[in-house]
Structures are given as C-alpha cells and as structure tokens.
Amino acid sequence: MSKAMVAVLCLALLVLSGCGNTARGFRQDGTEAGLALDDATHRVLKSTSK
C-alpha cells in the first residue's frame, strides 16, 4: 500500500467521523428543541387555564 493511499484513507476516515458527529449533534439539538417547545406549550396552556 502506498503512502498516498494511506493518506487518502486517513483523510476519508476523518471526514466520515466528522459527518457522524454532525448528524448526532443535529439529532440531539432537534430533541432538545422539541422538549423545549413542549415545555413552553405546557406553561402557556397552564397559565391561560387559571
């Protein structure tokens, strides 16, 4: 295996691991945003029912 091929494989590994971290971050952000929206909705509904 040539040095260029090893370098390309290492670069591909870094790029793919970065994409995985980004996807995980988007999922976590989406979950947190959904929970915050749900909490805000419950607070608004609770305050209007008094």
Side-chain angles (χ1 to χ4, degrees):
M1 204 184 259
S2 69
K3 289 183 181 181
M5 186 62 158
V6 171
V8 168
L9 288 175
C10 288
L11 182 62
L13 181 64
L14 287 173
V15 168
L16 291 174
S17 68
C19 291
N21 287 336
T22 301
R24 244 180 269 121
F26 280 140
R27 184 189 66 200
Q28 185 178 4
D29 290 345
T31 301
E32 290 175 2
L35 291 174
L37 182 62
D38 187 48
D39 185 45
T41 304
H42 285 293
R43 280 186 284 146
V44 167
L45 292 175
K46 190 185 292 184
S47 69
T48 58
S49 66
K50 290 182 179 179

